[in-house]
Amino acid sequence: MTAVAVPGAGGAPDPAADAAAESRAPAVTAKDVRRELRRQLFRSKTFLGGMIIILFWAFCAAFPAVIATDDPSRQDPASKWVRPFTDGFLFGADRSGRDVFSRMVYGAREIMIIAPAAVVLGTLIGITLGLLMGYFGGPLDDVISRIIEALMSLPVILVALLALSALDASRLTIILLIGFLFGPIIGRTVRAAVLTERNLDYVRAAELRGERSTYIMFVEILPNVVGPIIVEFTVRLGYAVFTMAGLAFIGFGTQPGSPDWGRTIFEERSSLLSDVWWPSLVPALALASLVVAINMVADAIQGLVDR
Amino acid sequence: MARYVLRRVGLALITLFILSVVVFVVASVLPGSVGRAILGPFADQQSVDQLNKDLGQDGSLISRYLRWAGNALTGDFGDSFKYRRPVMDFVPTALWASVKLALMTIVIVVPLGILGGVVAALRQGKAADRFLTIAGLSLAVTPEFVVGIVLILVFAVNLGWLPAGGSAKGSLWEQFQVLLLPSLTLTAILFGYLSRMARAGTIEALNADYTRTATLKGLKRRTVLRRHVLRNSLLPTIAVIASQMAYLLGGLLVTETLFNYRGLGLLIFEAAGDRDIPMLMGAVFIVGALAMLMTLLADVLIAWLNPRVRLGSKA
Amino acid sequence: MSTPALEFKELHLAYVVRGVPREVLRGVSFSVQPGESYGLVGESGCGKSTAAYAAVRYLPRNAKILSGSVELGGRDVMSLGTEELRLLRANNASIVYQDPGQALNPTIKVGPQLAEAFTVTGMSASDAAVQARAMLQKVQIADPDSVLGRYPHQLSGGMQQRVVIAMALACDPQLLILDEPTTGLDATVEAEVLDLVRKLRDEYGTSVLFISHNLGAVRSMCDRVGVLYAGQLVEEGSAQEVFDAPQHPYTVGLLRCLPRHGSKKTDQRLETIPGFLPLLGADLPTCVFVDRCPLADEICRTQVPPMVDLGGRIARCHHTDRVHDIAVADLPKGTASTVDRTRDPLLQLRGVSKTFHQGGKQIKAVRDVTLDLFPGETLGLVGESGSGKTTLAHTILGIHAPDQAGTLTFAGTPLASHTRKRSDDAIRGIQIVFQNPDSALNRRHSVRRIIGRSLRRLAKVEPAKIEDELHEITAAVRLTDRHLDMRPAQLSGGLKQRVAIARAFAGRPRIVVCDEPTSALDVSVQAAILNLLSDLQRDGDTSYVFISHDLRVVRYLSDRIAVLYLGRIMELGPAERVFDGPHHPYTEALLSAAPSVEGDTRVRIKLEGEIPSAMNVPTGCVFHTRCPRKLEGDICSTQEPPLNPTPDGGVIRCHIPFDQLGGGPVQVELTRRSGDV
């Protein structure tokens, strides 16, 4: 992009020429920038790879019957511990003779509903908290910060466990619980980003224009902290899957016999010692692939936001 | 500095109070009555009420909190529902077992993580960096029990080198064998996090103007790294790591369950399964208080390492 | 001729971005002779810092030498081995750059840090400690033993830069490179640091490569000067010749952009250089300046201009014979001064103070300020950092409330302390243009949205009419409609500042606070912005409160000037009188600290020590601790002088009678002291 300016002969610049020439910058609009960002994202192998895996599991969660080869809960004592790739059992069969592959496909559902829902809730809470704390600061910020610090000194899974042993562990409870536990954590990230923005002069300019606090927070500041929020969302999504699986593994949040991955690993882990690895390893790898994929996407977005 | 420490301790006490409220409130949202939960649906109301009274489950929420917190201050977390013995009969032994596991993990992961981070930082953008970053990230986000299962499969089942679980008893060597797999599991989780912190700290110091000054002074690269880069990046990194120990404690719960290791994590897991609320509250509160203490120590350490805070500025 | 201390030979250097080399230095050749001081000037992005770091081969990983070489003391820097390069840096060349606070390691005390520079040359630790102390004395640090034991953050910016200079000179290098060493420091501190460098350079016989955007500082420091444009040296010669009679159209333009000594907006508009600086690594036509050059013709577009030898100086231009023909632009006369002081003042401050409370301590940032601002008038605020000029401006805007005692009146009605409590009229009436447009514009909003919102909020324009108003105001700040859909990131610095100005003017304000509006911009852009500001002022009868550390800019634009020191007005009066005298001793010192590109005839008045902390203000006259004209006896240290009225309607806070103050034509001889040239 070269700027071409041919000033009038004789060398006496026209008073407005400086500005006119200066304005011959390439016409790039905001839309172009967004398109360019999207293009770069889709060129990133990490992003694409992660996205493909996530979409695969999302598809399994939505339409498991399309992929699964069997009913996940059909038991058949005759097929107990059939090894993978035999008798039509792609990934073998478990102690009750259920098809490990089909259970893996169906097992995606619970986690693919709970984790995103919980993180959406947490992000909404986090954005509100973060904007309030970062923009107003002062005593409000101090009080909420203390509460968050207390919450964060406890591993999320412990608090969840504490609450779930008191409450009944329905799907909604788990979503609310993880959402409310993640909210303050996300809030802290949002707050840090808001604090940086708050010191910029455009916020001061809005105040000097007599704008209301809600306008400044949601219209002026929020669009500028979207980057960190998206990154935080994806990272927390990974953690939500992690936490949710951990809870399922210690027996909370899913019914016994459910094909959920964490639950299955918990129930089948004892057969490991008999060298029967497939009933627990298959869901374990499925779980690992999902978290790693989410984090690949998070990493790719982070790389783009940082620049 | 003294002022800073005092302030920090004051804040920690407030946080501790909030923590106790959180633990109490979360555990008290139990619908219905504890006595009924224990005695079952067929017991008569009178004995349920009596049990509730014995268990300290009567009265308003606030009076119950005050009673619980007051006793907790004296180290009394009440009696376990299940064992009908004081919670504190169980917690110290379990805590000691968990501390052993945590220490073993720290001994392995801290040097490893820092080394990985520094190497990645010095090779920034090259293959070694990409590998360490991606491997660390993938391990860090894979649930403990997934890593643990793989480790058990390989080292306990197939190779038969190490026990697949159990408690740390007997000679030091036996204890070491029992501890190795669980601590490697935790190491896998923490390595990525630690090396990421160390990498970021080192890169920041590498890019700092004072490092440029040192290089242009004509110092040897080794001297620049030791005196100017690592000195500014590592000690704070270690302190930051210490402040993130809550993650390690969370990992203990699942790892101890998987390896059937009698620590605080397994104690909490079983208490949750048995709905043994006093045991659960006591153990969780102690875990939180410990994490908070470590954060406090780490913050003080960070401050002490920074002359700006230690000496105050006097321009 | 002996071997030059530094020699660039046709150096072509590129940064490789995504596999594409982008040329930053396009065949740069110059040399610095032993004992010589060579200045490198140019606007941002012209490659001057890259040249500095190329000299010690400290380049980013993606830098690539395409051809040519750099020789330091006759050795090719680019072909040295790692160890040789290290020894070269240790023994032969040192570099000092801006922001000394960052250049020192925060966790190591000054003593050991300085000693390192000696041990690296093979000295024993104990000798190094002795040498470090001696070196601190050399850089005129009064209390070296205490400084050695301190951490860098415990020193002021000026002291830190002295320590860095001590470190640089430790190895007695043949070449000292100074890359914007005083940027960010106050003019008075800058002058002291430059004095020190000058003295040590003469003492050690060191060659100096001095890089700065401050043309005055370069002129005062250097024997010869090279002018860089788009990675090419376009002109070189003795400092005096280049600045007094430039031979390249770019140098001519650059110098004319600066407000001339004593020039005012009422006399003349500023000249500007039309067009843009080419982007880094852009594919350039044969002459790099052709797109912006008033002399450009066919030959400039087809043939690379030669380096024309003009007898001891060179210029890269086809038309050196015609350079002096470049017409002094037939610029329209500037705005006629229409400030009518018989009208009611627009803004009145009476006894306004602002005290901040921090950790139980009081910081009196502004003390007892009384002043009037008339319609269409520009009031310049001048002072070192910490003088309270920004706090005062923020108090006027209602960013923070003043202390109880004072009053602010705007257009005859009392002004509420805080923006939130102000009427729509008051909010609309007082707006601001910030220093840094990157921070002042919301990166996520389009230009249309940024200006449109102000039109709606401030001018209460109905939605249907917004579009028309938008076109009108963008035209007024010389933006085009195409810019409306862009975001700030897609605009150059100058264009961004125009958007910020449009936003401030959207509600037709009566007063605009300009807080260093051009200090983040290059001089050629600065000139265009200053022209715009004076046009807008004339058209709208707007008043300005204008803050700048660049005294010439302040003088160019201001009708009256207030000089602040530790939150107090030391002097207030018409711009001419404040600049030319008689003026306050502090003003005098401040003015003499800023080197001039025309060459200095004035004698520098040194200020001793540093500006005291606002937490611990001196007794009596707050300036007495640094005042070069402190009176005999203890009146200055015990009694705060009143604000004495001056014949021209201003005030001066000094015990010395008005007719005995320095600066006036008659008084020049009195203030000039012997041996201080």
Side-chain angles (χ1 to χ4, degrees):
Chain A
M1 7 192 237
T2 5
V4 194
V6 188
D14 154 34
D18 48 295
E22 209 187 331
S23 57
R24 271 182 209 129
V28 189
T29 63
K31 219 180 271 170
D32 295 332
V33 174
R34 275 199 298 273
R35 194 176 307 141
E36 171 63 17
L37 272 176
R38 233 182 350 251
R39 213 163 54 85
Q40 286 190 9
L41 204 52
F42 281 100
R43 231 191 295 155
S44 145
K45 285 189 194 101
T46 338
F47 179 82
L48 283 180
M51 225 37 208
I52 289 171
I53 299 175
I54 294 172
L55 289 177
F56 171 75
W57 290 122
F59 186 83
C60 288
F63 313 104
V66 178
I67 295 180
T69 49
D70 197 357
D71 177 350
S73 48
R74 194 178 61 82
Q75 304 193 356
D76 175 11
S79 319
K80 182 183 179 187
W81 287 350
V82 169
R83 299 191 73 83
F85 309 112
T86 44
D87 296 343
F89 290 98
L90 188 56
F91 289 162
D94 64 10
R95 67 173 79 211
S96 318
R98 292 173 297 195
D99 180 36
V100 170
F101 174 74
S102 301
R103 288 180 66 76
M104 175 193 84
V105 173
Y106 276 89
R109 172 164 279 182
E110 204 64 17
I111 220 159
M112 290 304 276
I113 292 173
I114 291 180
V119 178
V120 167
L121 175 68
T123 306
L124 292 179
I125 296 172
I127 288 173
T128 315
L129 279 180
L131 281 173
L132 289 172
M133 292 165 75
Y135 182 67
F136 288 110
L140 178 89
D141 183 26
D142 286 344
V143 169
I144 304 180
S145 288
R146 286 278 81 70
I147 296 177
I148 294 180
E149 194 179 310
L151 269 178
M152 284 186 73
S153 68
L154 282 175
V156 169
I157 195 163
L158 277 191
V159 187
L161 184 76
L162 194 61
L164 288 179
S165 29
L167 295 166
D168 75 313
S170 73
R171 189 184 278 173
L172 184 67
T173 319
I174 295 188
I175 291 175
L176 290 177
L177 192 64
I178 297 185
F180 276 98
L181 287 178
F182 278 12
I185 301 176
I186 297 171
R188 239 164 72 132
T189 308
V190 179
R191 170 183 177 270
V194 172
L195 273 183
T196 319
E197 294 297 318
R198 206 225 174 299
N199 289 325
L200 294 181
D201 287 334
Y202 73 86
V203 175
R204 186 156 275 171
E207 286 170 350
L208 290 174
R209 207 160 61 216
E211 302 284 6
R212 287 149 51 135
S213 305
T214 41
Y215 176 89
I216 294 177
M217 281 190 286
F218 288 94
V219 183
E220 295 278 351
I221 297 179
L222 185 57
N224 286 293
V225 294
V226 161
I229 291 176
I230 293 176
V231 172
E232 186 70 11
F233 177 85
T234 39
V235 169
R236 283 299 140 200
L237 190 61
Y239 277 108
V241 170
F242 191 107
T243 307
M244 157 79 197
L247 280 176
F249 177 75
I250 52 178
F252 284 91
T254 46
Q255 299 307 309
S258 143
D260 177 83
W261 298 334
R263 181 99 211 175
T264 310
I265 298 166
F266 176 65
E267 287 172 1
E268 301 288 337
R269 78 198 146 116
S270 55
S271 45
L272 271 180
L273 300 176
S274 328
D275 208 7
V276 175
W277 48 265
W278 52 95
S280 45
L281 195 64
V282 167
L285 293 181
L287 190 57
S289 75
L290 178 61
V291 238
V292 170
I294 292 174
N295 277 277
M296 280 161 73
V297 171
D299 201 46
I301 296 177
Q302 170 109 57
L304 217 57
V305 169
D306 282 353
R307 265 190 310 131
Chain B
M1 182 72 190
R3 239 180 105 164
Y4 174 83
V5 173
L6 271 180
R7 198 183 114 83
R8 199 60 199 74
V9 169
L11 290 180
L13 287 177
I14 298 175
T15 316
L16 197 67
F17 162 71
I18 299 172
L19 174 72
S20 70
V21 174
V22 169
V23 168
F24 182 81
V25 169
V26 169
S28 305
V29 289
L30 184 71
S33 89
V34 179
R36 176 66 66 192
I38 292 173
L39 296 176
F42 305 112
D44 61 290
Q45 190 58 40
Q46 207 178 350
S47 37
V48 168
D49 288 346
Q50 185 56 44
L51 183 62
N52 273 344
K53 201 168 175 217
D54 289 350
L55 294 173
Q57 292 295 320
D58 58 335
S60 73
L61 202 65
I62 291 176
S63 71
R64 275 174 19 222
Y65 169 73
L66 288 177
R67 196 158 49 210
W68 177 76
N71 289 337
L73 275 181
T74 65
D76 173 13
F77 289 91
D79 287 358
S80 153
F81 287 169
K82 186 180 174 194
Y83 301 102
R84 300 297 174 97
R85 274 169 56 202
V87 168
M88 287 311 272
D89 283 3
F90 302 90
V91 170
T93 345
L95 182 63
W96 174 234
S98 290
V99 166
K100 275 197 279 193
L101 177 54
L103 280 179
M104 173 104 168
T105 308
I106 289 169
V107 166
I108 298 174
V109 79
V110 170
L112 216 58
I114 286 178
L115 189 71
V118 171
V119 167
L122 294 179
R123 302 256 179 284
Q124 199 188 340
K126 300 200 176 140
D129 178 27
R130 289 304 295 161
F131 173 77
L132 281 167
T133 305
I134 292 175
L137 182 75
S138 305
L139 283 176
V141 298
T142 310
E144 303 89 341
F145 52 90
V146 174
V147 179
I149 279 175
V150 173
L151 287 177
I152 290 175
L153 260 175
V154 175
F155 293 102
V157 179
N158 283 337
L159 297 173
W161 291 353
L162 294 165
S167 292
K169 281 189 285 246
S171 72
L172 229 61
W173 174 241
E174 283 164 350
Q175 293 200 24
F176 174 78
Q177 286 184 311
V178 169
L179 284 169
L180 196 54
L181 283 188
S183 56
L184 281 179
T185 307
L186 289 167
T187 297
I189 302 289
L190 291 172
F191 171 78
Y193 184 72
L194 258 62
S195 60
R196 195 184 265 208
M197 306 283 313
R199 178 179 180 272
T202 308
I203 287 178
E204 194 188 327
L206 274 174
N207 292 338
D209 275 3
Y210 56 78
T211 303
R212 173 168 64 170
T213 309
T215 308
L216 291 178
K217 234 189 242 176
L219 296 178
K220 293 199 171 94
R221 180 149 173 88
R222 221 176 331 122
T223 317
V224 173
L225 289 180
R226 184 169 45 81
R227 265 178 75 83
H228 294 273
V229 176
L230 297 184
R231 187 193 172 106
N232 276 289
S233 70
L234 287 194
L235 290 175
T237 305
I238 293 175
V240 171
I241 289 167
S243 72
Q244 300 296 329
M245 279 301 144
Y247 287 96
L248 177 66
L249 294 169
L252 283 177
L253 177 68
V254 171
T255 309
E256 290 181 0
T257 308
L258 178 69
F259 286 94
N260 204 25
Y261 179 84
R262 298 239 132 255
L264 210 51
L266 194 57
L267 188 76
I268 290 173
F269 166 73
E270 287 175 353
D274 300 333
R275 301 219 159 187
D276 191 346
I277 302 291
M279 180 81 101
L280 201 52
M281 282 166 69
V284 169
F285 180 76
I286 284 170
V287 169
L290 272 179
M292 204 171 289
L293 185 69
M294 274 191 285
T295 315
L296 174 66
L297 290 178
D299 280 357
V300 172
L301 180 65
I302 292 174
W304 185 74
L305 287 173
N306 182 348
R308 254 170 251 238
V309 181
R310 178 157 31 111
L311 302 171
S313 56
K314 184 175 75 180
Chain C
M1 201 149 91
S2 56
T3 323
L6 174 71
E7 187 165 20
F8 275 63
K9 292 181 175 167
E10 275 299 306
L11 186 72
H12 287 262
L13 190 149
Y15 291 130
V16 182
V17 182
R18 287 195 211 107
V20 185
R22 294 176 192 273
E23 213 169 333
V24 192
L25 296 180
R26 303 163 192 267
V28 172
S29 297
F30 66 89
S31 63
V32 184
Q33 300 302 325
E36 186 189 34
S37 291
Y38 188 97
L40 216 46
V41 299
E43 296 178 270
S44 54
C46 67
K48 42 188 201 305
S49 285
T50 303
Y53 289 103
V56 286
R57 207 170 107 192
Y58 191 84
L59 294 163
R61 253 183 251 167
N62 64 341
K64 198 180 161 198
I65 306 289
L66 302 175
S67 65
S69 66
V70 183
E71 288 180 8
L72 231 156
R75 293 157 76 198
D76 183 353
V77 178
M78 299 301 163
S79 65
L80 293 179
T82 316
E83 184 62 10
E84 288 171 308
L85 178 66
R86 183 180 77 76
L87 289 173
L88 182 94
R89 287 170 179 168
N91 298 315
N92 303 64
S94 295
I95 184 161
V96 172
Y97 34 80
Q98 65 171 295
D99 204 352
Q102 301 290 316
L104 294 168
N105 190 329
T107 54
I108 303 181
K109 287 180 183 170
V110 169
Q113 224 171 141
L114 183 51
E116 257 183 359
F118 289 98
T119 47
V120 76
T121 60
M123 199 179 279
S124 76
S126 55
D127 286 351
V130 175
Q131 288 294 326
R133 187 180 183 284
M135 200 69 220
L136 281 190
Q137 279 172 323
K138 280 247 164 69
V139 295
Q140 296 167 358
I141 284 178
D143 186 7
D145 290 312
S146 121
V147 169
L148 284 171
R150 286 198 224 167
Y151 285 97
H153 76 272
Q154 295 173 301
L155 307 175
S156 68
M159 292 272 261
Q160 287 170 341
Q161 196 59 300
R162 280 163 202 266
V163 172
V164 174
I165 290 170
M167 217 141 77
L169 289 175
C171 61
D172 187 9
Q174 283 101 309
L175 178 70
L176 176 65
I177 301 169
L178 302 164
D179 183 13
E180 305 269 8
T182 54
T183 306
L185 299 178
D186 272 315
T188 49
V189 182
E190 169 179 49
E192 275 182 78
V193 169
L194 291 182
D195 278 349
L196 175 69
V197 171
R198 228 173 268 134
K199 177 174 152 287
L200 292 173
R201 168 193 69 188
D202 296 344
E203 192 180 325
Y204 283 76
T206 316
S207 306
V208 171
L209 175 63
F210 185 77
I211 288 165
S212 180
H213 68 278
N214 183 338
L215 302 182
V218 172
R219 174 166 192 152
S220 75
M221 273 290 294
C222 298
D223 308 314
R224 284 195 305 143
V225 176
V227 181
L228 272 180
Y229 181 80
Q232 248 181 27
L233 201 67
V234 292
E235 175 163 9
E236 183 186 85
S238 80
Q240 197 189 341
E241 283 172 335
V242 170
F243 289 132
D244 288 346
Q247 288 297 322
H248 190 281
Y250 173 63
T251 322
V252 173
L254 196 63
L255 289 166
R256 287 193 189 167
C257 285
L258 295 169
R260 240 149 295 192
H261 190 70
S263 80
K264 289 197 59 66
K265 63 180 174 188
T266 44
D267 306 335
Q268 194 175 46
R269 293 169 61 87
L270 294 171
E271 281 194 42
T272 58
I273 304 179
F276 283 115
L277 195 71
L279 292 172
L280 268 192
D283 211 7
L284 289 185
T286 46
C287 168
V288 289
F289 191 57
V290 65
D291 289 340
R292 305 173 74 184
C293 182
L295 297 179
D297 57 18
E298 204 43 41
I299 185 169
C300 302
R301 274 178 252 283
T302 50
Q303 285 180 34
V304 179
M307 271 297 200
V308 182
D309 194 330
L310 300 159
R313 53 190 300 206
I314 44 178
R316 191 187 282 274
C317 182
H318 289 294
H319 302 299
T320 46
D321 52 327
R322 279 171 47 205
V323 163
H324 52 270
D325 294 344
I326 298 179
V328 173
D330 182 20
L331 294 168
K333 282 284 177 205
T335 53
S337 179
T338 53
V339 181
D340 178 0
R341 258 176 255 288
T342 57
R343 288 161 75 182
D344 286 334
L346 189 56
L347 180 75
Q348 287 183 299
L349 271 63
R350 292 290 173 267
V352 169
S353 299
K354 174 65 197 173
T355 310
F356 292 107
H357 299 272
Q358 194 182 56
K361 285 179 199 150
Q362 285 192 341
I363 301 165
K364 294 174 177 167
V366 170
R367 287 308 284 167
D368 196 21
V369 167
T370 294
L371 54 82
D372 293 332
L373 182 66
F374 291 90
E377 183 186 40
T378 302
L379 175 71
L381 293 184
V382 166
E384 291 168 280
S385 52
S387 63
K389 47 191 199 301
T390 300
T391 309
L392 179 60
H394 284 184
T395 309
I396 293 172
L397 286 158
I399 289 172
H400 32 238
D403 297 351
Q404 285 297 326
T407 57
L408 287 93
T409 315
F410 171 66
T413 47
L415 204 52
S417 58
H418 207 281
T419 319
R420 280 195 306 269
K421 301 177 196 150
R422 290 189 180 174
S423 67
D424 283 359
D425 273 348
I427 286 176
R428 189 182 57 85
I430 310 178
Q431 283 294 313
I432 181 169
V433 176
F434 292 98
Q435 170 175 5
N436 182 352
D438 287 318
S439 158
L441 302 179
N442 194 326
R443 332 187 267 296
R444 292 281 168 171
H445 290 182
S446 64
V447 172
R448 179 189 304 280
R449 187 161 179 192
I450 291 169
I451 303 175
R453 181 72 190 179
S454 279
L455 285 171
R456 213 149 62 238
R457 283 290 310 182
L458 299 174
K460 311 281 180 210
V461 177
E462 293 161 34
K465 291 190 183 149
I466 289 263
E467 203 59 17
D468 292 343
E469 292 277 330
L470 265 175
H471 294 309
E472 195 177 309
I473 193 139
T474 41
V477 297
R478 326 259 188 275
L479 289 169
T480 64
D481 290 351
R482 280 183 321 108
H483 293 123
L484 285 176
D485 291 314
M486 296 189 187
R487 289 208 185 154
Q490 289 134 21
L491 303 173
S492 69
L495 292 176
K496 276 183 253 195
Q497 200 58 298
R498 285 169 198 275
V499 174
I501 291 171
R503 175 178 64 187
F505 277 85
R508 304 192 193 285
R510 310 287 305 277
I511 300 172
V512 174
V513 173
C514 302
D515 188 0
E516 305 256 11
T518 60
S519 60
L521 307 173
D522 275 317
V523 287
S524 61
V525 183
Q526 163 177 302
I529 294 291
L530 293 178
N531 282 343
L532 174 65
L533 284 173
S534 53
D535 290 349
L536 289 168
Q537 175 165 51
R538 183 195 49 213
D539 298 345
D541 199 23
T542 317
S543 304
Y544 289 149
V545 175
F546 192 90
I547 302 174
S548 177
H549 68 274
D550 186 332
L551 297 173
R552 281 218 205 182
V553 168
V554 174
R555 176 167 198 181
Y556 175 77
L557 221 60
S558 302
D559 300 299
R560 286 192 305 152
I561 287 172
V563 181
L564 277 81
Y565 186 77
L566 284 175
R568 289 153 178 81
I569 288 189
M570 301 310 274
E571 154 157 42
L572 173 69
E576 294 75 23
R577 204 265 297 147
V578 170
F579 269 80
D580 299 336
H583 43 210
H584 193 279
Y586 175 59
T587 315
E588 192 175 8
L590 208 56
L591 288 169
S592 79
S596 137
V597 70
E598 284 101 353
D600 284 312
T601 49
R602 229 191 321 227
V603 175
R604 254 242 316 125
I605 296 161
K606 291 194 170 83
L607 282 189
E608 277 165 30
E610 287 164 4
I611 188 164
S613 153
M615 273 190 245
N616 191 9
V617 174
T619 55
C621 173
V622 288
F623 185 55
H624 86 263
T625 53
R626 299 168 79 197
C627 184
R629 295 198 61 193
K630 188 179 170 228
L631 295 173
E632 302 269 323
D634 57 5
I635 182 166
C636 291
S637 55
T638 54
Q639 276 183 44
E640 169 133 41
L643 279 169
N644 296 316
T646 58
D648 49 32
V651 285
I652 289 188
R653 193 189 286 277
C654 188
H655 287 301
I656 303 171
F658 181 69
D659 55 5
Q660 286 172 35
L661 283 168
V666 193
Q667 303 295 330
V668 164
E669 292 308 311
L670 282 176
T671 55
R672 189 165 286 182
R673 274 168 286 168
S674 57
D676 194 11
V677 176

